[in-house]
Amino acid sequence: MFEMTDPVAARRAAIAAEKERLARERERRRSRGAVGANGFAQRKWRWLGVNGAEAIQAVTELLKDIAQQAALTDEQRDMIGQGLGGAPDREGLLPAVRAGLALLEPEAVLRHMRELWSAEVRWLNEPGLERCRVLCSTAPGVEIRAISRAY
């Protein structure tokens, strides 16, 4: 990097860099939409281990898929609805999500688990965390062992 000896040029460069940073931050806030704008909702989600707009978006997408399942009970549907409304219930949401995941297709469950994992939402017990770590890793899967045995 070059050393700036001209204080006026250095100040102008610092101002330009700050303007660029603020523009990027403004664009990031716009792209987050309503989920990222509400600090109260973010605090409510943080109580459940969901930190940041990306994590809230991943959970919201999961809840939308679960809400479409007809086999949910009224209580489960209410818990999912509260979560979608930005006011998740600390005691009731996770059991409702677990019941809803059982109703989804396996591909949808895997997709959601990968999205939650990448957003650092860890809603699993210890065995579930280990399974999710393996499922969400980029390492070759068990199927590679079957291929390697053929040779």
Side-chain angles (χ1 to χ4, degrees):
M1 203 74 180
F2 297 105
E3 189 175 320
M4 281 201 187
T5 56
D6 182 11
V8 174
R11 185 174 192 307
R12 286 182 183 153
I15 290 171
E18 180 64 11
K19 284 182 180 180
E20 184 178 324
R21 186 191 68 78
L22 290 172
R24 282 193 313 266
E25 182 62 31
R26 198 170 26 256
E27 183 59 35
R28 199 171 329 168
R29 273 189 304 235
R30 269 192 226 125
S31 68
R32 284 191 292 211
V35 174
N38 189 342
F40 180 71
Q42 284 189 358
R43 283 191 298 277
K44 296 282 272 185
W45 280 113
R46 202 171 301 129
W47 293 337
L48 287 166
V50 181
N51 298 311
E54 181 184 342
I56 294 172
Q57 184 65 33
V59 170
T60 302
E61 293 301 318
L62 169 65
L63 295 179
K64 285 178 185 176
D65 273 3
I66 290 174
Q68 295 174 3
Q69 302 304 311
L72 290 174
T73 66
D74 290 338
E75 183 180 338
Q76 292 166 341
R77 194 169 303 285
D78 289 344
M79 290 295 115
I80 300 297
Q82 283 180 0
L84 285 170
D89 180 85
R90 290 178 69 173
E91 302 298 320
L93 183 63
L94 294 181
V97 168
R98 181 177 183 186
L101 283 171
L103 302 172
L104 294 176
E105 294 295 319
E107 295 83 10
V109 172
L110 182 57
R111 178 175 45 83
H112 285 300
M113 294 312 294
R114 285 184 170 164
E115 289 171 4
L116 292 173
W117 187 265
S118 69
E120 299 184 9
V121 177
R122 307 294 194 252
W123 279 358
L124 303 167
N125 58 18
E126 287 301 317
L129 283 172
E130 181 59 22
R131 289 180 187 128
C132 195
R133 186 189 63 74
V134 171
L135 287 171
C136 296
S137 73
T138 57
V142 176
E143 66 277 356
I144 197 77
R145 292 190 356 217
I147 293 170
S148 65
R149 289 183 188 158
Y151 295 101

